[in-house]
Amino acid sequence: MDSSQFLAQCVSQLLAWYPSHARDLPWRQDREPYHVWLSEIMLQQTRVEAVKGYYQRFLQALPDIDALARAPEEQLLKLWEGLGYYNRVRNLQKAAQQICTEYGGVFPDTYESIRKLSGIGPYTAGAIASICFEQPTPAVDGNVLRVMARLMDDHSCVDLPRVKQQFTDQLAAVYPAGKCGMLTQALMELGATVCVPKGAPGCAACPVSALCLARKRNTVGMLPVRAEKKQRRIEHRTVFVFLCGDTAAVRKRENRGLLAGLWEFPNLEHLCTPEEAIAWAEQMGVQPAALLQSQERTHIFTHIEWHMTCYYLRCMRPSPEFVWADCTALEKQYSLPTAFRLFLPDVLALLDETADKPKPEPPESGTV
């Protein structure tokens, strides 16, 4: 049996299995391209359960492509706060603006035109074209690569572009007319809920287990073959929580590099002793009065690991070097990435303790 015949049998089993086993997810309620597109961008490197709330809040605030295209950047970043990889939402808006200017606000309906939109790669374009427009365009991500490697007992390295393209071509050849979207979602569902990446896969519940070559040959645990990951670079950082009255100091990051354009608590790219921290606070003009506490936290990015020491300092002067935000502004206005949100619960608790106390004199500028 050649690969096309083998995969055609697998497809038949998957299509029979999917309708009764698909999870009830908010973005599966319709095939509106904006909804599918938004969900696929949010789901990149993010768990389904984490995305549900974000997806619903985002659509409530920006219900259509035109609203997305016109949204202020601060609103976009706040809606995305905590999802990470913030260029995803910036590219989402750029693509929305493309759709408005080049397609009259109507989402393009071919793989080739979808692929030209900002921030949309082959996987996302394949997902949208198949789910929304019934085109035979597979969406091959890590889940599907794993499923294919195990089904076919293929020990090629799935991180190689040629292997990904090979699997894409093999699937495209067996996509059934009128059920392209269902097959794309069935493959996604199988990889996410049955043929899982960590722990033992649920072979007993798999609709294609009788066909799976890796199961027959007892090689499931060896697949997929991945390239060796590079070790993350460790960076040490000192974070400062300057508290003055019922406000805390924040500042905006530069519009380039990691976490570009987001807000942060002041920080330095090295570790400071408590004495050095107080000295830097004095240099920043906040007149530190007391070191309240310190914390150590770690945050992991894709290629970098931040080891952070945070000093909480009660200050007498809200220096104009920073923007001074109260609890409401910290929670609802300023988009703090997860690395800095690690400290937010303690910041809010400390601010709440002083909310009813007399406030220091405000600076000339920079205070919320």
Side-chain angles (χ1 to χ4, degrees):
M1 184 188 306
D2 65 23
S3 62
S4 291
Q5 292 174 313
F6 172 73
L7 285 175
Q9 287 188 15
C10 295
V11 166
S12 176
Q13 297 296 322
L14 279 171
L15 292 176
W17 167 82
Y18 176 74
S20 58
H21 291 82
R23 289 167 293 175
D24 183 17
L25 300 174
W27 44 88
R28 287 180 175 166
Q29 305 308 307
D30 56 52
R31 297 201 293 177
E32 162 59 42
Y34 177 42
H35 298 167
V36 174
W37 170 40
L38 176 63
S39 71
E40 290 299 337
I41 298 298
M42 283 188 165
L43 286 163
Q44 291 171 12
Q45 297 172 302
T46 311
R47 293 178 300 105
V48 165
E49 288 304 313
V51 165
K52 287 179 180 178
Y54 280 99
Y55 174 83
Q56 290 164 332
R57 285 192 297 272
F58 198 98
L59 283 183
Q60 186 174 16
L62 305 173
D64 53 39
I65 290 173
D66 182 63
L68 171 59
R70 293 185 291 103
E73 184 178 67
E74 285 296 336
Q75 182 187 19
L76 280 181
L77 295 176
K78 190 64 181 175
L79 288 168
W80 209 262
E81 182 182 60
L83 273 174
Y85 304 95
Y86 289 86
N87 276 340
R88 291 185 296 173
V89 74
R90 290 190 173 101
N91 283 327
L92 199 71
Q93 184 173 60
K94 288 178 185 176
Q97 291 165 347
Q98 282 179 266
I99 293 168
C100 289
T101 56
E102 298 174 24
Y103 298 96
V106 178
F107 204 98
D109 61 2
T110 67
Y111 175 88
E112 292 73 21
S113 55
I114 296 169
R115 184 72 178 82
K116 292 177 182 177
L117 297 175
S118 182
I120 293 187
Y123 167 79
T124 304
I128 297 169
S130 59
I131 295 170
C132 304
F133 304 112
E134 285 298 343
Q135 295 181 16
T137 53
V140 179
D141 65 350
N143 279 335
V144 176
L145 286 170
R146 181 172 60 258
V147 167
M148 288 290 287
R150 288 172 175 173
L151 276 177
M152 306 185 76
D153 194 32
D154 192 318
H155 292 251
S156 305
C157 177
V158 296
D159 296 304
L160 296 174
R162 65 171 180 79
V163 175
K164 186 173 184 178
Q165 189 59 55
Q166 172 189 316
F167 286 159
T168 302
D169 293 342
Q170 288 173 327
L171 282 171
V174 296
Y175 255 60
K179 294 187 178 179
C180 294
M182 184 184 291
L183 178 56
T184 288
Q185 293 182 91
L187 286 163
M188 292 176 178
E189 197 72 1
L190 187 71
T193 64
V194 178
C195 197
V196 293
K198 295 178 181 178
C203 294
C206 179
V208 289
S209 61
L211 297 168
C212 179
L213 296 180
R215 191 183 186 209
K216 288 179 180 178
R217 298 167 186 171
N218 200 29
T219 58
V220 172
M222 301 166 60
L223 297 167
V225 174
R226 307 300 303 252
E228 187 176 346
K229 288 187 177 180
K230 294 181 180 178
Q231 271 196 317
R232 281 188 293 268
R233 184 173 78 252
I234 293 177
E235 294 183 355
H236 296 280
R237 193 167 291 259
T238 303
V239 178
F240 297 84
V241 172
F242 296 141
L243 303 169
C244 194
D246 62 354
T247 63
V250 293
R251 66 184 182 186
K252 196 168 188 179
R253 292 177 65 85
E254 294 183 5
N255 288 322
R256 58 184 176 82
L258 185 66
L259 306 177
L262 300 174
W263 292 83
E264 64 180 1
F265 295 119
N267 59 92
L268 296 173
E269 296 180 3
H270 60 268
L271 288 183
C272 292
T273 64
E275 294 75 18
E276 290 169 337
I278 291 170
W280 192 73
E282 290 172 345
Q283 185 181 334
M284 291 296 101
V286 296
Q287 295 181 9
L291 174 57
L292 303 177
Q293 63 186 52
S294 64
Q295 286 180 336
E296 293 186 358
R297 294 286 186 269
T298 298
H299 182 70
I300 296 172
F301 299 93
T302 306
H303 304 297
I304 303 170
E305 193 170 312
W306 277 5
H307 290 197
M308 299 175 285
T309 297
C310 179
Y311 294 106
Y312 294 76
L313 292 150
R314 177 69 63 198
C315 302
M316 300 303 295
R317 179 172 179 266
S319 165
E321 288 283 335
F322 308 110
V323 169
W324 295 84
D326 60 17
C327 290
T328 301
L330 286 170
E331 291 184 284
K332 297 184 178 179
Q333 181 177 349
Y334 295 108
S335 49
L336 287 168
T338 302
F340 296 103
R341 289 184 67 83
L342 293 173
F343 307 104
L344 191 58
D346 283 280
V347 175
L348 296 176
L350 289 166
L351 289 179
D352 189 57
E353 288 177 9
T354 60
D356 297 325
K357 295 181 181 179
K359 298 178 178 60
E361 290 296 318
E364 295 178 3
S365 62
T367 300
V368 175

